[in-house]
Amino acid sequence: MGGNYRFIPDFTSEEISEIQLEGLKWTVGHVSVNSPFYSERFKDVGVSADNIKSLDDLRRLPFTTADDLKNGYPFPLLSVPEEKVVRIHGSSGTTGKRKILCYTEKDLRVWKDMFARCYELAGLTTLDRVQVCVGYGLWTAGAGFQLGSEHFGAMTVPVGPGMLEIQLQLLVDMQITCLCSTASMALLLGEEAQKAGLSDQLNLKRCIFGGESHTPKMRRQFEESLGLESSHDISGMTELYGPGAGIECTAQDGIHYWGDRYIVEIIDPVTLEPVEPGEVGELVVTTLCKEASPLVRYRTRDLTRIIPEPCPCGCGMPRHDKISGRSDDMFIFRGVNIYPGQIASVLEHFPEASSEYQIYLERREGLDFMSVKVERKPDVPEENDSNLAKAISDEIRKFILVRASVEIYKPGSLPRSFAKTKRVIDERG
Ligand code: ZN
């Protein structure tokens, strides 16, 4: 075990299991009494707090889904009287209503403590200077990164997303050491710094990034262009306080999650049964001390797996792998289930291609066609395009067992966005 941390507790796995059982009993008791939504659900399946004798009893509880949150709008899962609610946050609702979650004062304390652990595990000290370049306001990102950094004790520079010129100026003038952003924003800032000839004037050491999927290639690209010592993928979602639910350590082999704050299950998204230890499935979370909007077996739709082995970094907190996709992002092409992450993994094999890509799906005369748009790297000659396209297409055929036509574009021509980059354009109607 590590043991030398200020924020990360030094629990053994037995101690974590004990905390989980106590927390599970508390949560089930709390929501059975205080949440109309959960008490109804539990009544339907005939479980109560008295039924929880061991962690295995978790499986007797019903799942909670994003639809349950939407149906309970504007205050879904609310399990405390309104006078205890001090904050709300929401996530973007692409269709229909947003997911709105309530926080008590204790919920905010737990959140910022989890977040401070993330900065600690990423190797920051109170002498670090942290620039927060993620969305503020209703979103959890800005508030979370800021609360956590202040609680940790670092100098915090809240900027928000976008505004590349201002970001670069602050990075240089304030000699910022830690950038907090999405992976695409880090990539963009790295490109801009190089274009503006400012790379040498940066003092960045770390980037904490999250909020969207990324590829190892994308990561290497921004680590290099920003001159980083390390970058750390942070996990979390609005439903589970916000970002800060876990982070990669310096070993960069999966995400340590705070097992004393929530329980992780990995299930088969079709059968809803637990997968074998170490197998990929859907991440399901149950909170252990969340007061205002507790989660009981919440289906996140994120795909990952538990990493059962102890981490070489010495931190005893459990690990899951990086999120490899969303169970909803999956598309079916000529009868094959495909996750965009699989295309990204194929592109990893090609140093001549950048990490940007887009998948276009269309239907012609009743048949589905897939084309993958890829950018060549700046120093790669254009004459190589047709060879590269064929090689990538062959590799897709070999690994994903489907045919795709690959089109190579010049560097910087595929759309970038500050927020989540849309990878799949499905025009099959
Ligand atoms: Zn570790």
Side-chain angles (χ1 to χ4, degrees), residues 121 248-254 256 311-315 319:
L121 199 59
E248 275 177 326
C249 61
T250 43
Q252 293 197 343
D253 183 17
H256 286 279
C311 184
C313 83
C315 174
R319 283 182 301 162

Side-chain angles (χ1 to χ4, degrees), residues 325-364:
R326 302 265 308 156
S327 52
D328 342 313
D329 276 353
M330 190 191 81
F331 59 91
I332 300 177
F333 175 75
R334 299 194 180 184
V336 181
N337 296 357
I338 299 175
Y339 297 105
Q342 292 176 284
I343 302 285
S345 314
V346 167
L347 292 179
E348 285 295 309
H349 306 173
F350 295 91
E352 311 95 307
S354 95
S355 51
E356 292 293 336
Y357 67 96
Q358 258 186 350
I359 301 166
Y360 277 81
L361 301 170
E362 56 184 337
R363 185 165 290 148
R364 294 194 299 258

Side-chain angles (χ1 to χ4, degrees), residues 208-397:
I208 298 180
F209 65 98
E212 59 176 22
S213 61
H214 69 281
T215 62
K217 185 173 221 167
M218 201 167 161
R219 179 174 187 162
R220 279 195 302 278
Q221 247 169 274
F222 73 71
E223 282 180 346
E224 204 179 288
S225 60
L226 292 169
L228 302 176
E229 284 171 16
S230 64
S231 65
H232 303 264
D233 191 3
I234 194 164
S235 69
M237 66 202 84
T238 308
E239 301 90 311
L240 187 57
Y241 300 93
I247 193 167
E248 275 177 326
C249 61
T250 43
Q252 293 197 343
D253 183 17
I255 289 172
H256 286 279
Y257 67 90
W258 313 125
D260 57 330
R261 297 303 193 199
Y262 62 99
I263 298 173
V264 161
E265 292 175 90
I266 307 291
I267 63 160
D268 180 317
V270 179
T271 65
L272 307 183
E273 290 298 318
V275 299
E276 292 298 314
E279 258 180 44
V280 174
E282 185 180 317
L283 174 68
V284 172
V285 294
T286 300
T287 56
L288 299 169
C289 61
K290 203 165 183 267
E291 294 181 332
S293 311
L295 302 178
V296 175
R297 303 196 86 194
Y298 180 69
R299 292 187 58 189
T300 67
R301 310 285 165 177
D302 283 333
L303 299 169
T304 187
R305 64 182 196 98
I306 292 288
I307 302 177
E309 300 81 24
C311 184
C313 83
C315 174
M317 283 290 174
R319 283 182 301 162
H320 63 71
D321 212 336
K322 69 175 173 144
I323 305 299
S324 56
R326 302 265 308 156
S327 52
D328 342 313
D329 276 353
M330 190 191 81
F331 59 91
I332 300 177
F333 175 75
R334 299 194 180 184
V336 181
N337 296 357
I338 299 175
Y339 297 105
Q342 292 176 284
I343 302 285
S345 314
V346 167
L347 292 179
E348 285 295 309
H349 306 173
F350 295 91
E352 311 95 307
S354 95
S355 51
E356 292 293 336
Y357 67 96
Q358 258 186 350
I359 301 166
Y360 277 81
L361 301 170
E362 56 184 337
R363 185 165 290 148
R364 294 194 299 258
E365 293 162 10
L367 260 188
D368 288 355
F369 290 89
M370 170 163 46
S371 51
V372 180
K373 302 187 174 189
V374 180
E375 277 179 17
R376 90 177 84 84
K377 279 269 188 67
D379 44 2
V380 174
E382 201 179 331
E383 300 87 80
N384 187 37
D385 281 0
S386 57
N387 286 335
L388 180 58
K390 182 173 184 315
I392 294 174
S393 169
D394 287 348
E395 206 76 345
I396 290 174
R397 176 114 179 104

Side-chain angles (χ1 to χ4, degrees), residues 129-133 157 159 164-180 185-186 189-190 193 198 201-204 206 226:
R129 299 176 178 183
V130 177
Q131 186 159 322
V132 181
C133 319
V157 183
V159 187
L164 287 184
E165 249 173 78
I166 296 172
Q167 305 280 7
L168 278 179
Q169 188 188 13
L170 288 169
L171 287 175
V172 171
D173 291 355
M174 312 207 69
Q175 290 291 285
I176 298 293
T177 56
C178 177
L179 176 76
C180 302
M185 175 80 171
L189 272 171
L198 291 173
Q201 297 175 46
L202 296 175
N203 190 33
L204 279 172
R206 279 168 241 293
L226 292 169

